[in-house]
Amino acid sequence: MRQRQGYVPQTRRVLRFVEGKAVKDAAGEDTWRAVCVSGDDNECGVDSGEMGGEGAVVKWMTVHAATTSHTRFKRSFSDYAILELK
Ligand SMILES: [Zn+2]
């Protein structure tokens, strides 16, 4: 393989094992999301997008089910965390 210009050979680095702890960041927003995965060969795929509460996502799922009879969803939740290194 040809070396790229400015290539600097990797020097040996010692990676120290550091313990970390993830603490919830209260300043970050919690979000919920659901994607409709109803259907055998082709999943529906309609996506709620990120919403600010679990109740809002359940409401979105209910409305989607009412118009399509789709009742299977993949849900996800996200929040923010601050990593504290020991
Ligand atoms: Zn659907």
Side-chain angles (χ1 to χ4, degrees), residues 60-77:
W60 176 87
M61 290 160 67
T62 305
V63 171
H64 182 67
T67 55
T68 59
S69 298
H70 293 166
T71 54
R72 188 164 184 264
F73 299 86
K74 179 182 177 188
R75 298 196 303 175
S76 56
F77 165 78

Side-chain angles (χ1 to χ4, degrees), residues 36-38 44-46 64 68 70 73:
C36 181
V37 292
S38 298
C44 169
V46 174
H64 182 67
T68 59
H70 293 166
F73 299 86

